[in-house]
Amino acid sequence: MCGGDDEIPTLTRRLSSASGPGPKVCIVGGGPAGFYTAQHLLKARDDMVVDVYERLPVPFGLVRFGVAPDHPEVKNVINTFTQTAQHERCYFYGNVNVGTDVSVEELRKAYHAVVLSYGAEANRSMRVSGEGLAGVFSARDFVGWYNGLPSNKELQPHLNCETVVILGQGNVALDVARILLSPLDLLKKTDITQHALDTLAASRVRRVLIVGRRGPLQIACTIKEVREMINLPDTAADMLPADFESISEALKDLPRPRKRLTELMMKTVKTESGQHKANKSWGFRFLRSPLEVLPGPDGKRVAGIRLAVNKLEGSGEDAKAVPTGQTEDLECGMVISSIGYKSLPIDPCVPFDPRSAIVPNNMGRVKDTAGLYCSGWVKRGPTGVIATTMNDSFDTARMLLKDMDSGMLNLSVNKPGGQEITALLKERGVRAVSFPEWEKINLEEVRRGTAVGKPREKFLDVKDMLAVAWS
Amino acid sequence: MGYSEAVSQLSSLTVNQTGSRALLFYVVCVCVCVCVCVFSSSGCKVLLHFVNQSGMKTSVSAMEGESLLEVVINKNLQIDGFGACEGTLACSTCHLIFEDGVYEKMEPMADEEMDMLDLAYGLTKLSRLGCQVTVERWMDGMTVRVPQEVKDRREKPEAEI
């Protein structure tokens, strides 16, 4: 069991709060949404018990598997999540797959409320032919690969081509571009996986094009990430001046964040024209949508991509990309589609909107299902930074607390909470990983990393994580 | 004259009435405070008022030289999710809104701060990141606030900048 190091005090604490009359809430998903929701709930009521269930043996979701290795400060939130998990009224159950090991229905019976915070584990497909060719990856898989997500460890991308085309211009696309072009000296001091480092060391990639459907004024990435691209050593910015010709007039009316980002991109165009050649280059390409991924002579591997040329209808954030009928081919040896993550349905009893790929909800309360809530990407869709998810999780927590206060959630009935679920899991031969057991995995990863000058060397296999957790 | 000389001079005065004794005590206290402020290397205590997301106002005595993020953490102010990245310019959760007259007297923002601030929830023309603002004596008595909580998600505050 998780909690303290000593068995007996933990058991006592568990029994007293588990059988206590206070509200018991279950959170599905141990990433930022789950932990921020838990944090808010625990602070609000001192009789509240919160159990966090996570499919992997390790917590923290995209903070561990999504945030780029060269952005360690963003991962500082792990400290606050750790504090939450170590709270005496919070219990972490890793290695439990909600949907297969235990059903949402069973959780709803055992708890006063269940919050779905399981995020978006799949990716949007480009839905073009050739998407299945070798050398075509989703950014979600590529990022998972360099960040040690167990299900991506066999990805084995070949970086023996000169040009990589990335579809999508959000921060994830820029992360991928930056990792492809960063000097190895910098990367090897991060928590990037060893196998990614080995592959990057042998990389022949020299040019990365980041392609978007719309124009510079609609680009989804943020200014910090663009600055990082500009500052990449031995790498020139390769923009097309024509893309920015009609932009200057619109500048003065833009809100400050959009204006500064646009000005920065335009400055890049000016300074880079006629520059000496750097060894590597990166650039944005605008008004292009993927039509078809083109195979090479063997018919099995990507050799290029056919793009539709678009024009914009309307202006500003709501401008729409409309095909002109023209097309353009780009030669490349790898295509990475970074057009969005996507949530999946977890359980037949949970409503799910396949079109928007979210759980239908009203400000965090799942529609037509009493006692069920959601927070994070599964509630709003897969956009935004950690702070966005934080605010969103607090909103859901507030909604849940309001429902407790108003009696919409019936707290007069005692619920068994974690006691019942652990018994069920035991019957099914499922053993959870407690938070102190994760801390053993954590220590071992840090120890392995320190030996090679990295903050940690992540385990890539669930079975290795479990072996350490239960040793 | 030095502190100790002032105190000995004052205490050597003969006092006949209780009122005068109280006045003497008060004067000594003021001298002590002034001297601590003037001679202490860690600087003055500065009075600050914080208004949190629910409109709750808390007044604290901060140390000159601390960042506003440090003040919020050290004084345990009830501000939801403040300072997620722990002052490393990797988020915008220490976003604070200042008063007009105060904002213009502050040191201008570096690009790195503005880059992150531009992503903040409820951004205004008087916004800064708390981790980048240091408490200074002239800030004594100022009020800072965080964006007010929206009661209805549909009323999401539009950025004012």
Side-chain angles (χ1 to χ4, degrees):
Chain A
M1 285 298 116
C2 66
D5 291 329
D6 202 90
E7 197 58 38
I8 308 236
T10 308
L11 206 52
T12 315
R13 185 166 62 237
R14 160 162 290 291
L15 287 175
S16 65
S17 49
S19 54
K24 295 191 183 58
V25 176
C26 158
I27 296 184
V28 178
F35 276 107
Y36 275 128
T37 308
Q39 192 182 89
H40 200 277
L41 290 172
L42 287 164
K43 210 162 83 163
R45 288 183 68 132
D46 58 16
D47 57 349
M48 168 93 66
V49 171
V50 178
D51 293 348
V52 178
Y53 291 83
E54 163 57 46
R55 180 170 55 195
L56 287 171
V58 299
F60 311 136
L62 283 178
V63 178
R64 176 180 165 103
F65 295 115
V67 174
D70 57 351
H71 285 167
E73 326 74 28
V74 177
K75 302 190 199 196
N76 282 345
V77 288
I78 285 179
N79 297 332
T80 190
F81 299 160
T82 297
Q83 267 193 325
T84 298
Q86 290 172 338
H87 193 289
E88 59 175 5
R89 288 182 276 111
C90 181
Y91 299 91
F92 174 78
Y93 298 96
N95 195 44
V96 177
N97 190 325
V98 173
T100 57
D101 295 337
V102 60
S103 71
V104 171
E105 219 22 69
E106 285 165 337
L107 292 175
R108 285 178 67 210
K109 286 206 187 86
Y111 291 91
H112 292 104
V114 175
V115 184
L116 302 171
S117 312
Y118 64 82
E121 69 188 82
N123 58 274
R124 280 180 66 202
S125 160
M126 284 191 287
R127 303 207 320 234
V128 298
S129 74
E131 196 164 6
L133 289 170
V136 181
F137 302 98
S138 69
R140 174 238 172 271
D141 282 343
F142 195 79
V143 170
W145 169 74
Y146 66 61
N147 272 337
L149 186 62
S151 54
N152 290 135
K153 73 172 190 288
E154 308 293 348
L155 202 73
Q156 291 176 346
H158 295 303
L159 297 180
N160 53 5
C161 57
E162 197 186 277
T163 304
V164 174
V165 167
I166 302 177
L167 282 325
Q169 295 174 326
N171 283 340
V172 178
L174 267 66
D175 278 353
V176 170
R178 193 178 67 251
I179 296 297
L180 282 170
L181 296 171
S182 279
L184 228 66
D185 282 342
L186 293 177
L187 289 179
K188 69 184 185 204
K189 297 185 191 134
T190 70
D191 64 6
I192 194 170
T193 54
Q194 188 56 45
H195 65 184
L197 268 180
D198 293 340
T199 306
L200 288 163
S203 166
R204 282 181 40 217
V205 173
R206 293 290 169 262
R207 188 167 170 245
V208 178
L209 293 176
I210 308 169
V211 179
R213 299 176 286 132
R214 300 188 293 171
L217 293 177
Q218 289 78 35
I219 204 169
C221 60
T222 53
I223 194 169
K224 177 171 180 237
E225 280 72 13
V226 174
R227 259 192 233 287
E228 286 171 335
M229 295 306 297
I230 292 168
N231 293 335
L232 277 171
D234 193 27
T235 312
D238 163 23
M239 307 289 194
L240 300 178
D243 283 336
F244 294 88
E245 255 154 32
S246 51
I247 301 294
S248 5
E249 307 139 35
L251 269 181
K252 58 177 165 34
D253 298 320
L254 296 172
R256 188 179 80 192
R258 177 61 71 191
K259 179 161 183 271
R260 291 177 72 235
L261 173 57
T262 313
E263 281 173 341
L264 182 64
M265 285 192 284
M266 289 176 70
K267 198 168 105 171
T268 317
V269 178
K270 287 200 171 71
T271 52
E272 294 293 338
S273 44
Q275 276 275 302
H276 66 92
K277 274 199 176 304
N279 271 325
K280 297 176 283 181
S281 74
W282 73 281
F284 289 130
R285 291 293 178 270
F286 296 101
L287 298 169
R288 302 287 185 273
S289 297
L291 276 179
E292 191 187 336
V293 180
L294 307 168
D298 68 355
K300 295 195 185 118
R301 178 163 283 278
V302 57
I305 185 162
R306 179 154 295 152
L307 303 167
V309 175
N310 297 327
K311 64 173 192 260
L312 279 184
E313 253 170 34
S315 63
E317 313 289 329
D318 298 324
K320 286 191 161 32
V322 172
T324 59
Q326 282 185 289
T327 66
E328 185 186 304
D329 288 357
L330 283 180
E331 246 185 72
C332 61
M334 181 181 275
V335 168
I336 298 185
S337 76
S338 184
I339 58 175
Y341 284 62
K342 194 170 80 174
S343 294
L344 297 177
I346 190 171
D347 194 295
C349 80
V350 176
F352 190 81
D353 177 356
R355 207 177 45 87
S356 57
I358 58 169
V359 171
N361 68 93
N362 178 19
M363 295 187 282
R365 245 193 234 138
V366 175
K367 287 202 170 127
D368 309 320
T369 321
L372 198 58
Y373 297 79
C374 54
S375 67
W377 282 5
V378 77
K379 165 188 172 191
R380 276 184 0 261
T383 59
V385 294
I386 293 178
T388 330
T389 289
M390 180 184 84
N391 282 313
D392 173 270
S393 302
F394 291 166
D395 283 347
T396 292
R398 279 186 208 114
M399 180 60 88
L400 200 160
L401 290 162
K402 196 172 103 168
D403 291 350
M404 284 186 172
D405 288 342
S406 71
M408 196 189 288
L409 284 172
N410 184 6
L411 298 181
S412 61
V413 180
N414 266 7
K415 291 282 192 171
Q419 263 188 335
E420 180 167 295
I421 302 300
T422 11
L424 266 177
L425 291 172
K426 194 167 170 199
E427 267 171 49
R428 294 166 188 176
V430 177
R431 184 176 168 185
V433 170
S434 68
F435 203 75
E437 285 169 342
W438 140 249
E439 285 172 324
K440 282 157 75 174
I441 301 173
N442 186 34
L443 271 173
E444 185 54 23
E445 286 187 341
V446 170
R447 191 194 66 79
R448 293 172 359 142
T450 311
V452 290
K454 293 162 81 172
R456 71 175 61 239
E457 187 62 59
K458 291 177 187 168
F459 285 108
L460 303 182
D461 268 294
V462 168
K463 64 172 171 32
D464 293 337
M465 295 172 183
L466 295 177
V468 172
W470 299 331
S471 62
Chain B
M1 69 170 73
Y3 158 65
S4 43
E5 287 157 310
V7 169
S8 54
Q9 274 215 10
L10 282 166
S11 48
S12 69
L13 293 172
T14 51
V15 208
N16 290 322
Q17 292 149 346
T18 330
S20 300
R21 204 183 289 275
L23 177 62
L24 173 65
F25 180 73
Y26 170 75
V27 168
V28 168
C29 283
V30 168
C31 284
V32 167
C33 284
V34 167
C35 291
V36 164
C37 273
V38 168
F39 297 117
S40 160
S41 55
S42 56
C44 240
K45 288 281 195 178
V46 178
L47 179 66
L48 301 175
H49 309 290
F50 285 84
V51 179
N52 79 356
Q53 64 279 350
S54 327
M56 186 175 88
K57 185 169 177 175
T58 313
S59 301
V60 296
S61 186
M63 291 300 292
E64 196 185 349
E66 280 188 296
S67 77
L68 290 179
L69 171 61
E70 284 164 337
V71 175
V72 171
I73 305 291
N74 295 339
K75 299 291 182 189
N76 212 6
L77 296 174
Q78 295 302 306
I79 306 182
D80 278 346
F82 202 83
C85 76
E86 301 175 4
T88 54
L89 281 176
C91 76
S92 58
T93 61
C94 67
H95 169 212
L96 289 169
I97 302 168
F98 293 78
E99 298 163 306
D100 223 320
V102 170
Y103 184 80
E104 58 207 27
K105 283 162 74 176
M106 289 164 66
E107 287 292 311
M109 262 189 275
D111 274 339
E112 282 157 318
E113 180 185 344
M114 211 182 291
D115 285 354
M116 296 317 297
L117 183 64
D118 276 355
L119 308 180
Y121 181 78
L123 182 65
T124 71
K125 288 191 167 65
L126 303 172
S127 291
R128 292 290 301 261
L129 291 182
C131 66
Q132 302 301 302
V133 177
T134 318
V135 174
E136 291 176 47
R137 264 183 246 178
W138 62 264
M139 294 175 178
D140 192 63
M142 83 171 170
T143 301
V144 291
R145 59 180 185 90
V146 297
Q148 296 300 281
E149 187 174 291
V150 281
K151 301 301 173 197
D152 183 327
R153 197 74 181 132
R154 288 163 295 188
E155 290 165 23
K156 188 170 128 77
E158 287 305 312
E160 294 162 31
I161 190 165

